Amino acid sequence: MRPPLLRRLGRLLVSALLAATACTFALPSPASAAGGLTQVTGFGSNPGNLAMYTYVPDGLPPNAPVVVALHGCAQSANDYYANSGWTTMADRYKFAVVFPQTSAANNSLSCFTWFDPADTGRGKGEVASVVSMVDKAAQLYGSDRARVYVTGLSAGGGMTANLLAAYPDVFAGGAVDSGLPAQCATSQTGASGCQYGSLNLTPAQWGDKVRAQNPGYAGPWPRVAIWQGTSDYTVYPVNATELRDQWTNVWGLSQTPSSTTTLPGSTTLTSYDDAGGEPAVQLYQISGMGHGLAVDPGTGEEQCGKSAAYFLDTICSSYYTAHFWGLDGAGTGPGDGDALPAPAGLKAGTPTATSVPLSWSAVAGAASYHVYRGGTRVGTPSGTSFTDSALTAGTSYTWTVAAVDNTGKEGARSAPVTASTTGGGTPATCVTANNYAHVAAGRAHVSGGYAYTNGGNQNMGLYNVFVTHTLRQTGPGSWELADGAC
């Protein structure tokens, strides 16, 4: 999609035309393979003029799944390989990953052209090229054709939705990260309307856009995860609601959630279950996150990815998406199936400078419990209490707890509890970046071609990549100008 053209204001300053469609702006990495990323040539019909890269973990068994991962604008396959966390999941759960790559020859900022019917219809353009890659991967690695999944960021997210609509017989599931509904726009002009606002369609009208891509197809439909930051000013959060409306309608489900769960990273998960009680559509809303893919760098079980431009340190979306698809062999989502219920009554006791005691109510059938701090498991007590220690003074932490049965299967997580250690102090967070980056990260927003701080609404100057400021966080989702003051 195209952000509004920045007017020529002032003396000789000419704003940059950010001509990306649902794009992220970052310096593109080299297109060459790096590390375990390997280019595959001669993969078959390629009407979309794409390149194919793959990552295959050691010890890949026959009949393993395949995940297709689509990068954002001004990114490459190598960026997604290096930062998204999908290689960590592939190593752990043993599946192949295909990283399609577009180029400036297709779009000026290397965006997948999700808005062009010549690239989004079944048998056409870029979507047809991606399906050729799936066929090639299945041939090379002996993959399970019933377990093929697709995910993507921003413009890659928009193309993910289109792939699910055009090829529901190819993809068992999808994940749209900071992206847009299938067939939201059919021209570059219409793309901005999707990016910044609502088309005001009913769920049935959104569902019809999917059904029209493959007339006569009656299912099964892919299971769809939707990831969205609530402070995304590049692809507005209404797109997540519209995606939810679209895919619940395709599945014939109500837009009333079957369940709501709190996850790490200020994330709220709402699930919409099919007739068998399994989640068909899941919506992950991350409070305060801007535009990008949610990652959580670290070595914890639920951590993955690297923090970089438009890879935002909040929660490991790749882990939760893999769990939702069942790639870990543990079901199709937190608390699904016959897993144990979430522990109730989680509370924090009196903290010290370095420790916080926790307690909760017992769960029938639990053999032990997993205690998580900020998404990382920190303890496995057999009882209903645990003291988290070696903490930093004057720091706020958040915990959740899950019950584990005697087979090792983890149940749903509890509601979170937050507490702070005594002493010390928490310094203000300061970030120096250009105005475009501040807006994309959710620290600022755009009005009339100018950037303004979120919360304080201070004028930061023209919305472009040339004006740079330091912003200081003053509260959740609130920032102020702090040039020279941090």
Side-chain angles (χ1 to χ4, degrees):
M1 60 195 70
R2 291 181 179 267
L5 294 178
L6 303 176
R7 296 182 178 84
R8 184 171 182 172
L9 300 173
R11 293 180 287 149
L12 299 178
L13 179 62
V14 179
S15 301
L17 174 59
L18 302 175
T21 302
C23 82
T24 57
F25 186 91
L27 293 176
S29 298
S32 59
L37 189 65
T38 302
Q39 184 169 11
V40 178
T41 58
F43 56 84
S45 177
N46 187 17
N49 189 35
L50 303 180
M52 176 181 179
Y53 293 85
T54 64
Y55 175 76
V56 181
D58 293 338
L60 182 72
N63 295 314
V66 176
V67 171
V68 178
L70 300 167
H71 63 77
C73 295
Q75 293 180 335
S76 66
N78 189 55
D79 293 320
Y80 226 60
Y81 159 82
N83 299 314
S84 67
W86 276 110
T87 55
T88 299
M89 298 302 112
D91 287 338
R92 183 184 300 169
Y93 303 132
K94 301 304 180 186
F95 56 82
V97 187
V98 175
F99 293 95
Q101 180 173 283
T102 186
S103 68
N106 287 359
N107 178 279
S108 61
L109 278 182
S110 299
C111 305
F112 290 101
T113 48
W114 59 273
F115 54 87
D116 189 344
D119 281 304
T120 62
R122 188 178 177 95
K124 298 180 180 178
E126 293 178 4
V127 296
S129 293
V130 171
V131 172
S132 290
M133 296 180 198
V134 171
D135 293 338
K136 185 66 173 181
Q139 174 190 342
L140 290 174
Y141 313 127
S143 307
D144 184 352
R145 294 303 301 262
R147 292 189 294 164
V148 179
Y149 305 88
V150 60
T151 181
L153 166 64
S154 195
M159 190 58 84
T160 292
N162 287 323
L163 280 161
L164 296 174
Y167 293 96
D169 52 333
V170 171
F171 297 101
V176 182
D177 296 85
S178 300
L180 308 103
Q183 299 298 317
C184 186
T186 55
S187 69
Q188 204 161 24
T189 301
S192 292
C194 295
Q195 179 184 3
Y196 293 118
S198 172
L199 298 191
N200 297 314
L201 301 182
T202 65
Q205 289 172 319
W206 280 118
D208 286 345
K209 287 180 176 290
V210 172
R211 288 182 283 268
Q213 295 305 298
N214 205 349
Y217 182 80
W221 295 102
R223 298 182 183 272
V224 182
I226 303 155
W227 289 84
Q228 181 72 47
T230 63
S231 295
D232 190 338
Y233 297 103
T234 300
V235 176
Y236 275 32
V238 68
N239 286 281
T241 303
E242 292 172 338
L243 276 159
R244 184 274 315 271
D245 289 351
Q246 182 170 67
W247 289 101
T248 51
N249 180 264
V250 167
W251 273 81
L253 304 176
S254 165
Q255 285 72 56
T256 301
S258 303
S259 64
T260 300
T261 307
T262 300
L263 299 177
S266 300
T267 304
T268 299
L269 162 63
T270 50
S271 292
Y272 303 83
D273 295 351
D274 63 16
E278 296 289 343
V281 179
Q282 290 194 326
L283 172 59
Y284 298 78
Q285 296 170 297
I286 306 171
S287 179
M289 192 183 87
H291 186 66
L293 181 74
V295 298
D296 184 14
T299 57
E301 181 182 356
E302 299 182 5
Q303 292 183 290
C304 72
K306 294 181 181 178
S307 182
Y310 304 102
F311 295 92
L312 306 180
D313 187 353
T314 50
I315 181 175
C316 173
S317 58
S318 299
Y319 166 82
Y320 284 95
T321 298
H323 184 43
F324 169 56
W325 290 339
L327 296 179
D328 59 354
T332 55
D336 293 337
D338 56 359
L340 295 174
L346 176 62
K347 61 183 179 180
T350 303
T352 70
T354 59
S355 66
V356 175
L358 305 168
S359 62
W360 55 90
S361 300
V363 173
S368 62
Y369 298 87
H370 287 166
V371 179
Y372 293 90
R373 182 204 317 137
T376 300
R377 191 195 301 177
V378 293
T380 308
S382 58
T384 58
S385 63
F386 175 78
T387 297
D388 198 3
S389 56
L391 305 176
T392 302
T395 303
S396 178
Y397 296 95
T398 299
W399 293 268
T400 55
V401 178
V404 181
D405 66 20
N406 57 14
T407 70
K409 184 176 182 180
E410 181 181 286
R413 295 219 187 152
S414 68
V417 64
T418 299
S420 298
T421 50
T422 59
T426 303
T429 298
C430 293
V431 180
T432 301
N434 63 59
N435 281 356
Y436 183 83
H438 280 310
V439 169
R443 296 183 289 269
H445 59 278
V446 182
S447 179
Y450 287 84
Y452 294 85
T453 59
N454 284 344
N457 208 40
Q458 294 171 295
N459 191 327
M460 299 162 57
L462 288 170
Y463 171 53
N464 58 32
V465 297
F466 305 119
V467 179
T468 298
H469 287 294
T470 298
L471 300 187
R472 176 170 52 207
Q473 191 167 19
T474 58
S478 182
W479 297 80
E480 66 179 4
L481 285 166
D483 294 330
C486 285

